[in-house]
Amino acid sequence: MSLSASCDSVSQKRTLSSLLGSRVVKRPKQEDGQRLQEAAIQLLDQHQNFSDLLKEVGNPDPGNIFCTQNGEQKQEGFKGIPSDFVGSLLVCNLRRQATQLGVPVVVLSVKMVLERLMEIIGTEDENEDKKRELLTSSQRVQLCVLLESTKELLSQGVLCPKLLWMEYRRNQVHMLPKLEVVYHLHSYRILTLTYILQGDEGVRSWLVSQLKALCSWKPSEEQEETTTVQQKVLLMIVGVLVGSGFEQSHESAAPDKKISLLCCSVLDDMLFWLLDTMDKCSTLPSAGKGTMLWIQIFDASLCGVSTSAEALQRFFTHTLTQTLTYKPRLTVSDAITLQNEWTFAKASWLLTSLFRKLAVIFSVELLLHHLQQVLETREVNWKHVLCFLSTLLVYNPNAQPRLKELLSRLLSSAFESYDLENMITAFLLARQGALEGPGVFPHYSDWFKMCFGGGSGYHATSKKSLVFLLKFLSDLVPFEPPHYLKVHILHPPYVPVKHRSLLMEYVSLAKTRLADLKESVEDMGLYEDVSGADGAPVQPQCQAVQDVEKAVSLFESTGRISATVMEASIFRRPYFLTRFLPALLMPRVLPVKADARMSFIDALKKADKIPAAQFSFYVESCQRKRQDRSAACLDTNDDPLEILKVQLQEFTAMVVDGNDGEISAQLSRISHTLNIIIPGRPDELIGQTVIKVHIETPMWPELHVKVVNMILRSFSQCVLDASRANPPNKQSQWASRVVTVLLGNRQLLSSLIQRLWDLFHNQASLLSNAHLVGLAVFVVHLHASMSKSLLVELIPSALPNPVPVGEALSSALVCSTHTNMLSCVRLCVAAMCYGICRGNSLPQQQQQEYIPSALYKKLMYLIPRLLPEARRPSIIASDSVFEHVEENLQGLWSSTTDSNSTWRKTAWYLWRHTAFRQLQQMPQYQLLFSEWLAHELRVQRSEDVLSDTERQEYQQWACLELYLTHSEEQGGCGGDMKILCSHLFSAIMDQKLSEQSPKRSDTGTCLPDILSRLQELVYEMEVTELSGRHGGRADLSDFLFELVSQRCPTTESSTSLSVISELNLQHTLTVWNRVLLALPAVLFIKVKAEGGRMTMDCNKLIEHVNQHQRKVCSPAGLLSCHVTAHFLRGVLCASVRCGYAVEELNKTWSQICLHCPLLVISTVHWWERLSPLMRSQWSRLYDEEPLPQQLQLLTDCQHWASSLGTGRSSSMPPAPPLLLAASLHRAWRDHTEDSQAFSAALNTLRPDRGIQSRQVIVFLLFLCINDYLSELLYPQERNNQRARNLFTELLSLVVDCGDWLLIFNSKEHGVYHLVTRVTTDKFTRLMPWAFYNLLLQQSADLLQKAMCCPGFLHTAILCYIKLLQLFLEGETPTTTTESSKEQVMVEPFRILSHSKQFVLRAISQTSPTALSSGQLRQLESQCADLDPEVRAALSVHLDPHSLSPEIDFF
């Protein structure tokens, strides 16, 4: 065997990496490194096939693209070998081979890479489609491996990308380049698509064809990876094309312009292909293969990732223009004729999708303005134009008023210059809007009457204008659809009497055209929808029926015959006599009481609009109808109501003695009669599952009331008669059958439920016992029959969702007064007694159908409240008492129907019954504590059956003995006082939040009682936990703050909250503050044992103020006096629990000063009022001991600030800077007149006197800005001139140091971070606005000093960026001040414009060293999308690299 043969054998068995790996293992010493390298080079010399070498030495997992088994194996083989070492081996081998072959190394590397590339692309799976447009997964991995190696060659300078592409295109003479290969070359930055566009002359031809092929090719559903790559390829290509084609460059060089035109041409070709496909394929399956994929590219969120916003807008504008002007083959006459077929509903869904995506980044004004420009300057495709308008109107509700404005401008321009183009454009656009229906745009007839129907119309200015209009309408006649001609005839334009002949000429021409089209004006309805939205003509008979219904409806609402009917009886008499009157006078069974139709006929008869013979025939026909219908029921001529009355009496007699067959037959007769009196509506659905009941405005006539009352009265009598003979469990199924018959007529059923609701809610106290029993039984059977099929929806909505009928009727039983409670308990006791007796012999599941849970819960609330003996533990907790209670169902029901029995006896009997007690074990019958609280809070204290003392005893029993001891599964609190208190707290909060009217008072309800129960329980928890061994009182304050935190949004910033959420938060915290003030103040301060002594912990209090109270302060940055005093009292009282009270109080207040600036500022503001209170309370707690040092310091600071304000000098107290600033701020607000003395006092606090003075001035500056914002947003408070003057004085003091800039940085973590915890989030967001609004009003000298301040430029640009974001989000305040100058400055757009000029001037005047490189990059990144001009200024003036660009050789 030869040496070469041996090498070949070895190379087949072991890879290069394994050989190198084994060598490394065998010779790990550094001194053998050179020998190892020589051996490797010798091996590479013998391995002359570079393509095979590229297969082996690449990185198998490039860029986390995709990993395969082969890749994993290779990765294991090369584990531990660095890529630069492998690259060095490749380069070394390339150079050696190039030397041997005598060719440049670049040429050889291109040849080798290209051979490997073609080998990868050429390896197709036999099972794969030959027309596959993307690589397979394995090909993709191999290609990425190759490109990693190629990138390494490129980095070492042995590969020429330009030569690589030239050779690649030469090898692809008979094939087009694969777009995925281009994508990967671009992604690996080996060969960008931009270079290909510049260097490849034939790129346009193959790029367009390949894009079409890629869009049309659809991978299988299993190939999710391929689908992702397909989208990435398209997005990359489109991003480059849009960027190169539509980015505006300052240098308009010829090559750039050529590339721009090329990119636009490629994108246009794809758009035209898309539009052509839409015309050919109108159905979804055929068109969705390729076009939809290209339409998705127009998604602004995807397409805009790699391009600027301006380029994207230019691209979308260009595309919209091309679409609107593509193939303008249709003339205006074609548009007039075919417009009905171009509505949104009939348009191609692909075309409307394209329009939606193109319009999403523009406002309606811009789109309509652009549409007008295109119409004025281009030949357009009218189909595309009108479909675009329809899409805009349908999807954008703001488009209608803007379109009306555009139409007004077009018509004004048309009549000013007598321009036919503007005229036809206006008519086409108006008609297109009308085609989309009245919800989108007014009817065409309404628009035409509004524009031309009055003396103020566009045409009414002169005879020339009138002639112009009529000539225009006449020219349209040959092309007009008939419904537009009818509009012009029936609603002609206003014409003066002297020019009436001109109008009659047009009318004659239009009628002639209608006759040619075999259309009659007389067949047109009075109220016909002439918008032509559907394009389908309405039959004259159907149109007449619609006109009659509309006319009757108008007569019912107004009480007068409409003018349209009166005019038709004169001017359109043929239609009125032959169409309208026959439809109105259709024979029918006349109701007992005249309805709206009969009244309308009578009114027309009195007005002599109905011929006598026609009216007599109508009356005779109605009488025959009634006779025929009555004969079908009975052989009498009685009224249907009398028939029903007789049938119900007969049925009542059958209930006791009749058999089932007779009862069923009689019910069938009753059902037939009911259907005659109250016929079912034709629009009732068979599968209808919700019955709508109007509880405030009855929707049924008096006839329905009579029928319903007859049914309920008869049913109640049947209940009494049947109960005398047998108990419910031994009666027949007569009651269920009656209810089943009623369920078949939904209109009657709705009337029945509405009548029951009205009786229970408004007249329950007036009903006798017999009526209540009958109605209770009816409700039970109604609930049992409807529980599984029908739900009830009350209108207006008294309940959140449709509910079973039992729950709906239960909501009518209000238990707010003594009278209501008695009526409710009587009805519910009767229903429960009947349900228990009726369901006794049935399975348990069917038993529950006869016991409505809502009525059962009413009794669980009312019986213990009205019967104190029912609260005994033996009755509630034990079943032993039931053993000696006689289980007699007959006795239970007889006590209900016995006239000598009282409701108390029956309720007590029912309360002790076993079946009634057992129901309480089921979840649906348990009265939860929250439900009990809701009932109790509805009780009116002045009309309660219980006295104040009795109510207190009852509520304490319910809270402590009933629900506290019950488990949570039973609706209780499981013995946990905190759960009990949380329920009380939630009920109180919900009750207050549910009050819609501000005039409603809490004093009428039991809210004060429930609040008293909460106070008692919280106080009990405090006392018991203080004396307990666990020291658990520390948890009580946490518990209270946790309760309110759960009801507030969890976000720390309100920027993510909607306006409604912010209002809800404000309302919630306002209610919470009222509850807070009702609880002992000491509860909100945590006292805990620490280091062998008791200490105060205010962390929860501080967190609560910073997170919640701060957001709802009014004015911003100031707690109310009551809340501030409450928190201070809590601190003083809690100090009593500590061993070293004074020391602990000083420590606590110091902590508050450091972490809760809002409470500090509020305390200083209200200290004049709070100081006597705090001194008095301290004296009560600690006899005559002086105030602690920290509290005394508040008084000292106040005196110091007051002395400065009056011109007296005094030494600065040793207090925190914020406390001193708040004191000065308060003094400044008090000294409104002597501002000069205060200004002079500020000079004593110059920053050069120390750090503390500087910090005081900066904090005071922040408080001044807060005042300025508050007074500017709420100008009714005071004039903001003082705040501006103070800002100027303070700024002049600290302008030389950079501290004042820190208060405008919301991310400041230094000493000034406290300012973010003072004011509301809204004010914090407006700080950049205040920065420029105040700064730009300063003198030029002060501005120049500010610009020289360290860190000024960085802060100024950050504030400008935030100001721009505020402007884009619409959050900049729009206010006006007294003088015109100030008004200009406050106006948001002017502020933004002046701010930008100021920033640009500051950038140009600032040294490049003013910003660090990190700050510069940060600002450039933030300005890139919002304001490229500022970014460019930063790069030009401050970026040192922009002045000396490095030369890029590659």
Side-chain angles (χ1 to χ4, degrees):
M1 182 180 295
S2 64
L3 180 60
S4 61
S6 300
C7 293
D8 292 339
S9 176
V10 171
S11 64
Q12 292 175 1
K13 294 181 181 179
R14 302 184 67 184
T15 64
L16 171 65
S17 57
S18 63
L19 285 173
L20 292 175
S22 63
R23 297 289 182 179
V24 172
V25 171
K26 291 180 181 179
R27 295 178 174 84
K29 299 180 180 180
Q30 294 183 354
E31 57 269 16
D32 295 335
Q34 180 147 6
R35 194 185 312 171
L36 174 62
Q37 185 176 5
E38 292 174 358
I41 293 172
Q42 182 180 3
L43 180 61
L44 289 173
D45 286 339
Q46 296 172 356
H47 196 127
Q48 297 296 330
N49 191 335
F50 189 69
S51 296
D52 292 342
L53 188 61
L54 285 175
K55 292 182 186 179
E56 190 172 354
V57 300
N59 182 8
D61 187 18
N64 291 329
I65 301 295
F66 305 105
C67 189
T68 63
Q69 184 177 359
N70 293 335
E72 292 171 358
Q73 291 174 354
K74 291 182 179 182
Q75 192 174 14
E76 292 176 359
F78 279 95
K79 184 176 181 181
I81 302 177
S83 60
D84 55 349
F85 177 70
V86 176
S88 300
L89 294 179
L90 292 176
V91 172
C92 183
N93 184 63
L94 272 173
R95 295 186 187 280
R96 191 179 298 276
Q97 290 191 33
T99 303
Q100 294 176 357
L101 296 175
V103 297
V105 65
V106 173
V107 175
L108 182 61
S109 65
V110 168
K111 178 177 179 297
M112 295 303 180
V113 171
L114 193 58
E115 287 179 359
R116 177 58 182 149
L117 175 62
M118 301 308 298
E119 181 182 352
I120 293 172
I121 297 176
T123 57
E124 295 284 352
D125 193 340
E126 295 179 358
N127 298 326
E128 291 288 342
D129 186 3
K130 293 183 179 180
K131 295 183 179 180
R132 183 183 180 95
E133 298 298 329
L134 295 177
L135 303 177
T136 64
S137 179
S138 60
Q139 288 177 320
R140 190 172 297 117
V141 172
Q142 296 178 52
L143 176 61
C144 293
V145 169
L146 172 64
L147 295 181
E148 277 292 331
S149 300
T150 306
K151 190 176 181 181
E152 187 65 30
L153 295 177
L154 183 63
S155 66
Q156 299 199 26
V158 295
L159 182 73
C160 177
K162 300 178 182 179
L163 181 60
L164 177 64
W165 181 252
M166 291 173 56
E167 294 299 322
Y168 175 68
R169 288 290 288 121
R170 186 177 302 167
N171 288 337
Q172 296 282 318
V173 175
H174 302 293
M175 295 177 61
L176 298 178
K178 282 187 175 293
L179 292 183
E180 186 176 353
V181 174
V182 176
Y183 165 73
H184 288 298
L185 289 172
H186 180 88
S187 300
Y188 280 88
R189 299 187 179 182
I190 297 173
L191 194 64
T192 63
L193 179 58
T194 305
Y195 167 75
I196 295 175
L197 292 172
Q198 294 173 348
D200 195 335
E201 295 293 337
V203 65
R204 183 175 183 275
S205 59
W206 64 261
L207 182 57
V208 173
S209 60
Q210 285 296 79
L211 282 173
K212 294 178 182 178
L214 181 59
C215 289
S216 302
W217 181 72
K218 182 179 181 181
S220 60
E221 296 181 359
E222 296 81 10
Q223 298 179 335
E224 296 182 3
E225 170 190 310
T226 305
T227 303
T228 303
V229 173
Q230 185 181 25
Q231 294 176 350
K232 289 183 177 180
V233 171
L234 290 174
L235 285 175
M236 183 278 293
I237 294 175
V238 171
V240 173
L241 292 175
V242 173
S244 300
F246 295 94
E247 288 284 3
Q248 285 188 348
S249 176
H250 296 290
E251 300 177 359
S252 56
D256 293 339
K257 188 174 182 180
K258 181 180 178 182
I259 295 301
S260 176
L261 293 175
L262 173 63
C263 294
C264 293
S265 174
V266 172
L267 292 171
D268 287 345
D269 286 347
M270 291 302 298
L271 176 64
F272 298 155
W273 167 73
L274 173 67
L275 296 176
D276 287 336
T277 306
M278 290 179 188
D279 292 338
K280 296 176 183 177
C281 306
S282 59
T283 58
L284 176 61
S286 58
K289 290 183 179 179
T291 53
M292 195 60 210
L293 187 59
W294 186 253
I295 289 178
Q296 291 174 357
I297 298 301
F298 289 95
D299 193 324
S301 62
L302 298 176
C303 187
V305 171
S306 56
T307 59
S308 67
E310 292 78 6
L312 188 64
Q313 289 181 357
R314 285 189 288 271
F315 169 54
F316 278 16
T317 303
H318 173 80
T319 304
L320 180 60
T321 304
Q322 293 293 87
T323 306
L324 297 179
T325 58
Y326 181 65
K327 292 184 178 179
R329 293 171 299 190
L330 297 172
T331 62
V332 171
S333 59
D334 296 330
I336 295 172
T337 305
L338 301 174
Q339 192 170 8
N340 279 355
E341 302 299 322
W342 298 340
T343 61
F344 176 80
K346 297 178 181 180
S348 167
W349 67 277
L350 292 170
L351 184 62
T352 56
S353 299
L354 175 63
F355 284 142
R356 286 177 60 193
K357 291 186 178 295
L358 291 177
V360 72
I361 64 173
F362 300 104
S363 64
V364 177
E365 292 82 356
L366 287 176
L367 291 170
L368 291 178
H369 177 70
H370 182 69
L371 176 63
Q372 183 180 3
Q373 284 185 331
V374 172
L375 290 171
E376 291 174 350
T377 58
R378 302 281 196 95
E379 291 291 330
V380 297
N381 184 322
W382 280 108
K383 179 180 179 180
H384 290 180
V385 168
L386 298 177
C387 287
F388 169 70
L389 181 65
S390 291
T391 305
L392 188 62
L393 287 170
V394 169
Y395 282 101
N396 197 317
N398 298 323
Q400 182 187 132
R402 303 287 85 80
L403 177 59
K404 289 181 179 178
E405 295 173 2
L406 174 60
L407 295 176
S408 178
R409 293 196 300 270
L410 289 173
L411 290 176
S412 299
S413 176
F415 281 95
E416 285 176 3
S417 57
Y418 302 104
D419 185 357
L420 284 175
E421 291 188 2
N422 283 336
M423 195 74 169
I424 191 60
T425 299
F427 270 74
L428 283 174
L429 296 184
R431 292 180 178 184
Q432 189 67 23
L435 289 174
E436 301 304 333
V440 174
F441 195 81
H443 287 304
Y444 175 72
S445 58
D446 296 334
W447 177 82
F448 189 81
K449 287 189 292 184
M450 179 184 66
C451 295
F452 308 107
S456 60
Y458 296 95
H459 65 295
T461 57
S462 64
K463 180 181 178 182
K464 186 176 182 181
S465 298
L466 174 62
V467 172
F468 173 69
L469 173 64
L470 294 177
K471 176 66 168 58
F472 169 75
L473 294 177
S474 300
D475 292 341
L476 295 183
V477 168
F479 315 103
E480 289 266 46
H483 47 267
Y484 293 121
L485 293 173
K486 293 177 181 180
V487 170
H488 299 161
I489 294 174
L490 295 177
H491 308 287
Y494 168 78
V495 176
V497 178
K498 59 182 178 180
H499 302 312
R500 194 75 180 173
S501 60
L502 299 176
L503 175 63
M504 298 311 298
E505 291 179 6
Y506 168 76
V507 171
S508 175
L509 179 64
K511 287 186 175 181
T512 303
R513 175 60 180 168
L514 287 174
D516 295 340
L517 297 174
K518 298 181 180 181
E519 293 278 349
S520 173
V521 180
E522 299 302 333
D523 289 336
M524 185 176 180
L526 305 182
Y527 305 98
E528 184 179 9
D529 178 11
V530 293
S531 66
D534 54 0
V538 181
Q539 293 299 323
Q541 296 83 359
C542 299
Q543 185 62 59
V545 173
Q546 295 177 11
D547 288 344
V548 168
E549 293 176 353
K550 180 71 173 178
V552 172
S553 175
L554 291 174
F555 178 81
E556 185 179 10
S557 60
T558 63
R560 295 182 299 175
I561 303 173
S562 67
T564 304
V565 175
M566 297 299 289
E567 292 173 0
S569 67
I570 300 173
F571 301 109
R572 299 189 60 194
R573 192 164 182 77
Y575 174 81
F576 183 78
L577 293 176
T578 62
R579 300 291 189 194
F580 184 80
L581 285 182
L584 175 65
L585 301 177
M586 288 289 293
R588 62 181 181 130
V589 177
L590 298 179
V592 177
K593 183 179 180 180
D595 59 1
R597 193 185 190 101
M598 290 180 63
S599 301
F600 179 64
I601 293 172
D602 186 57
L604 286 175
K605 182 69 174 62
K606 291 179 180 179
D608 292 331
K609 297 300 180 182
I610 303 177
Q614 194 172 7
F615 182 78
S616 299
F617 179 78
Y618 166 71
V619 173
E620 294 173 1
S621 300
C622 291
Q623 290 176 351
R624 285 195 300 270
K625 278 277 186 180
R626 179 175 179 179
Q627 292 172 2
D628 296 341
R629 190 69 62 88
S630 299
C633 303
L634 294 173
D635 293 332
T636 66
N637 292 327
D638 294 335
D639 186 85
L641 280 176
E642 294 298 324
I643 298 172
L644 179 62
K645 184 178 180 180
V646 173
Q647 290 174 341
L648 290 174
Q649 290 174 351
E650 293 174 354
F651 178 77
T652 304
M654 294 178 184
V655 167
V656 179
D657 301 325
N659 57 41
D660 290 344
E662 293 175 348
I663 291 176
S664 298
Q666 187 66 15
L667 286 175
S668 178
R669 300 184 192 100
I670 293 173
S671 175
H672 183 72
T673 305
L674 287 173
N675 287 331
I676 293 174
I677 300 174
I678 306 178
R681 293 177 180 174
D683 57 347
E684 286 182 356
L685 301 177
I686 298 177
Q688 183 182 9
T689 59
V690 177
I691 303 296
K692 296 184 178 181
V693 178
H694 298 265
I695 59 178
E696 287 188 356
T697 55
M699 301 299 293
W700 28 266
E702 185 179 353
L703 175 64
H704 289 200
V705 178
K706 292 180 178 179
V707 173
V708 168
N709 288 341
M710 290 173 60
I711 293 173
L712 295 178
R713 191 180 300 112
S714 173
F715 188 91
S716 299
Q717 188 61 46
C718 291
V719 170
L720 293 178
D721 294 346
S723 298
R724 294 190 188 101
N726 298 300
N729 58 330
K730 295 183 180 180
Q731 295 177 13
S732 64
Q733 299 293 326
W734 68 268
S736 299
R737 293 179 181 176
V738 170
V739 173
T740 303
V741 168
L742 300 177
L743 292 178
N745 191 322
R746 297 296 169 82
Q747 189 175 0
L748 175 60
L749 179 62
S750 176
S751 300
L752 273 167
I753 298 174
Q754 183 173 1
R755 180 58 176 159
L756 288 172
W757 201 94
D758 181 66
L759 287 171
F760 292 166
H761 190 69
N762 300 319
Q763 306 175 44
S765 60
L766 305 177
L767 298 175
S768 65
N769 188 60
H771 286 124
L772 284 175
V773 171
L775 295 179
V777 174
F778 187 82
V779 170
V780 168
H781 280 281
L782 199 61
H783 175 78
S785 301
M786 295 176 59
S787 60
K788 295 182 179 179
S789 57
L790 294 174
L791 298 176
V792 175
E793 180 182 358
L794 300 179
I795 301 174
S797 180
L799 300 169
N801 298 306
V803 295
V805 64
E807 187 173 346
L809 294 176
S810 174
S811 66
L813 298 169
V814 181
C815 303
S816 59
T817 65
H818 183 191
T819 304
N820 291 339
M821 291 181 189
L822 294 182
S823 303
C824 181
V825 75
R826 290 164 57 205
L827 178 70
C828 294
V829 164
M832 290 301 103
C833 291
Y834 180 83
I836 290 174
C837 296
R838 182 70 185 175
N840 180 64
S841 59
L842 299 175
Q844 184 178 9
Q845 184 63 31
Q846 295 184 18
Q847 288 180 17
Q848 297 175 16
E849 294 177 359
Y850 286 92
I851 305 176
S853 60
L855 300 183
Y856 181 88
K857 290 183 178 181
K858 292 281 186 182
L859 288 181
M860 294 301 298
Y861 169 70
L862 287 174
I863 291 181
R865 202 176 199 282
L866 301 177
L867 301 178
E869 58 270 23
R871 307 171 197 167
R872 291 183 304 197
S874 58
I875 299 297
I876 296 175
S878 174
D879 292 337
S880 60
V881 72
F882 301 140
E883 297 174 1
H884 64 272
V885 176
E886 183 183 2
E887 297 292 342
N888 190 341
L889 294 175
Q890 185 174 359
L892 179 63
W893 179 242
S894 62
S895 66
T896 305
T897 57
D898 187 1
S899 58
N900 295 323
S901 179
T902 63
W903 71 266
R904 287 181 175 272
K905 287 184 179 181
T906 307
W908 179 241
Y909 195 178
L910 176 66
W911 185 258
R912 296 178 297 162
H913 201 278
T914 306
F916 183 84
R917 302 302 307 169
Q918 288 177 343
L919 287 173
Q920 195 178 3
Q921 306 303 319
M922 301 179 184
Q924 65 269 31
Y925 292 101
Q926 293 172 356
L927 181 68
L928 305 179
F929 186 37
S930 57
E931 296 172 335
W932 178 87
L933 285 168
H935 284 301
E936 192 67 15
L937 284 169
R938 294 192 188 103
V939 176
Q940 299 295 318
R941 304 173 75 222
S942 59
E943 301 182 50
D944 190 7
V945 65
L946 303 177
S947 65
D948 291 345
T949 304
E950 291 171 338
R951 184 167 54 253
Q952 179 182 0
E953 293 176 355
Y954 164 68
Q955 292 176 353
Q956 289 175 343
W957 166 83
C959 292
L960 298 177
E961 298 185 40
L962 183 62
Y963 285 105
L964 179 61
T965 57
H966 281 187
S967 64
E968 294 187 56
E969 291 75 15
Q970 294 177 323
C973 304
D976 193 335
M977 291 280 283
K978 290 183 179 179
I979 296 178
L980 185 69
C981 289
S982 65
H983 279 294
L984 291 171
F985 174 79
S986 298
I988 293 170
M989 294 287 291
D990 292 338
Q991 175 76 0
K992 287 180 173 290
L993 291 172
S994 64
E995 297 168 7
Q996 299 298 328
S997 174
K999 298 181 180 179
R1000 181 176 172 181
S1001 175
D1002 301 338
T1003 56
T1005 68
C1006 284
L1007 182 62
D1009 299 87
I1010 299 300
L1011 187 57
S1012 297
R1013 304 292 83 77
L1014 177 62
Q1015 291 171 331
E1016 294 168 358
L1017 293 171
V1018 169
Y1019 182 73
E1020 181 179 344
M1021 290 172 62
E1022 178 195 12
V1023 173
T1024 55
E1025 291 178 354
L1026 272 176
S1027 60
R1029 58 188 175 182
H1030 300 293
R1033 181 183 177 281
D1035 296 334
L1036 187 55
S1037 61
D1038 296 347
F1039 166 69
L1040 292 173
F1041 284 125
E1042 184 65 26
L1043 286 179
V1044 69
S1045 296
Q1046 291 172 357
R1047 302 182 67 93
C1048 297
T1050 55
T1051 55
E1052 295 186 1
S1053 175
S1054 62
T1055 54
S1056 60
L1057 298 178
S1058 64
V1059 175
I1060 295 178
S1061 299
E1062 289 187 9
L1063 292 176
N1064 289 338
L1065 172 63
Q1066 185 174 5
H1067 197 181
T1068 299
L1069 287 172
T1070 302
V1071 173
W1072 154 249
N1073 285 341
R1074 296 171 65 183
V1075 177
L1076 177 146
L1077 295 174
L1079 296 177
V1082 70
L1083 298 180
F1084 300 98
I1085 307 300
K1086 185 176 181 179
V1087 178
K1088 62 180 181 180
E1090 184 177 289
R1093 55 186 289 185
M1094 302 301 292
T1095 61
M1096 286 190 292
D1097 184 359
C1098 294
N1099 290 332
K1100 284 292 182 181
L1101 171 64
I1102 292 173
E1103 180 182 350
H1104 172 72
V1105 173
N1106 289 340
Q1107 288 191 1
H1108 301 304
Q1109 296 285 353
R1110 173 180 60 83
K1111 297 179 181 179
V1112 297
C1113 287
S1114 181
L1118 188 65
L1119 294 173
S1120 69
C1121 183
H1122 298 295
V1123 173
T1124 306
H1126 204 64
F1127 287 147
L1128 290 181
R1129 278 197 300 268
V1131 174
L1132 263 65
C1133 293
S1135 65
V1136 176
R1137 306 295 183 186
C1138 304
Y1140 302 92
V1142 175
E1143 178 183 345
E1144 195 60 36
L1145 192 145
N1146 288 330
K1147 175 184 174 183
T1148 302
W1149 182 252
S1150 299
Q1151 181 186 8
I1152 292 174
C1153 290
L1154 289 175
H1155 302 289
C1156 192
L1158 177 57
L1159 184 55
V1160 174
I1161 293 173
S1162 302
T1163 303
V1164 173
H1165 183 84
W1166 303 112
W1167 187 244
E1168 187 174 350
R1169 293 173 56 181
L1170 297 180
S1171 178
L1173 300 178
M1174 297 300 106
R1175 291 179 183 276
S1176 175
Q1177 184 164 357
W1178 182 260
S1179 299
R1180 293 197 307 271
L1181 295 175
Y1182 297 100
D1183 296 332
E1184 298 299 329
E1185 291 190 15
L1187 279 177
Q1189 178 185 357
Q1190 290 296 328
L1191 295 184
Q1192 182 61 41
L1193 193 58
L1194 289 169
T1195 303
D1196 297 341
C1197 291
Q1198 188 180 44
H1199 292 332
W1200 169 75
S1202 299
S1203 65
L1204 286 182
T1206 56
R1208 300 190 308 271
S1209 61
S1210 61
S1211 60
M1212 182 185 297
L1218 179 61
L1219 183 57
L1220 295 170
S1223 301
L1224 282 174
H1225 180 254
R1226 179 59 181 170
W1228 171 76
R1229 293 172 71 99
D1230 291 339
H1231 294 80
T1232 57
E1233 298 179 356
D1234 193 5
S1235 58
Q1236 294 182 354
F1238 191 84
S1239 301
L1242 290 178
N1243 291 323
T1244 63
L1245 298 174
R1246 301 191 66 84
D1248 53 11
R1249 297 197 174 186
I1251 297 177
Q1252 188 179 27
S1253 296
R1254 181 170 68 247
Q1255 293 176 354
V1256 170
I1257 294 178
V1258 172
F1259 278 123
L1260 182 58
L1261 182 69
F1262 168 77
L1263 297 176
C1264 168
I1265 295 173
N1266 190 66
D1267 279 353
Y1268 177 76
L1269 286 174
S1270 179
E1271 293 160 6
L1272 201 58
L1273 293 178
Y1274 310 103
Q1276 68 275 12
E1277 294 183 2
R1278 64 175 70 185
N1279 186 6
N1280 56 21
Q1281 184 62 39
R1282 289 191 71 233
R1284 285 202 302 270
N1285 294 340
L1286 179 60
F1287 175 85
T1288 302
E1289 294 175 6
L1290 294 174
L1291 180 62
S1292 63
L1293 293 177
V1294 294
V1295 69
D1296 295 328
C1297 65
D1299 285 19
W1300 67 279
L1301 296 171
L1302 299 178
I1303 63 176
F1304 296 98
N1305 186 2
S1306 59
K1307 298 181 180 180
E1308 163 65 18
H1309 298 293
V1311 67
Y1312 301 109
H1313 75 285
L1314 294 176
V1315 299
T1316 59
R1317 303 179 187 177
V1318 173
T1319 188
T1320 64
D1321 292 333
K1322 180 180 181 180
F1323 276 39
T1324 302
R1325 293 196 303 273
L1326 290 177
M1327 286 296 286
W1329 185 84
F1331 176 83
Y1332 280 105
N1333 195 18
L1334 288 169
L1335 199 62
L1336 293 177
Q1337 299 181 57
Q1338 306 307 315
S1339 64
D1341 293 340
L1342 189 57
L1343 279 179
Q1344 189 62 36
K1345 291 181 181 180
M1347 292 170 59
C1348 298
C1349 176
F1352 176 80
L1353 183 62
H1354 184 255
T1355 301
I1357 297 178
L1358 286 178
C1359 288
Y1360 171 71
I1361 293 171
K1362 294 176 182 177
L1363 174 63
L1364 187 57
Q1365 291 173 340
L1366 286 173
F1367 182 80
L1368 295 176
E1369 295 170 2
E1371 293 190 27
T1372 50
T1374 54
T1375 57
T1376 57
T1377 55
E1378 297 178 359
S1379 64
S1380 59
K1381 181 181 179 180
E1382 293 175 356
Q1383 184 175 0
V1384 172
M1385 294 304 298
V1386 173
E1387 201 265 329
F1389 179 75
R1390 293 296 181 88
I1391 285 287
L1392 185 64
S1393 177
H1394 293 173
S1395 301
K1396 181 175 181 178
Q1397 296 174 9
F1398 177 77
V1399 169
L1400 294 175
R1401 186 168 71 252
I1403 292 174
S1404 63
Q1405 296 178 6
T1406 303
S1407 170
T1409 60
L1411 295 177
S1412 65
S1413 59
Q1415 290 177 333
L1416 181 60
R1417 297 294 172 260
Q1418 175 196 11
L1419 295 177
E1420 287 179 341
S1421 174
Q1422 293 180 359
C1423 293
D1425 295 331
L1426 292 174
D1427 197 328
E1429 185 178 354
V1430 174
R1431 182 186 183 278
L1434 285 171
S1435 301
V1436 171
H1437 293 286
L1438 300 181
D1439 190 354
H1441 299 287
S1442 65
L1443 303 177
S1444 56
E1446 298 178 1
I1447 300 176
D1448 187 3
F1449 292 95
F1450 298 95

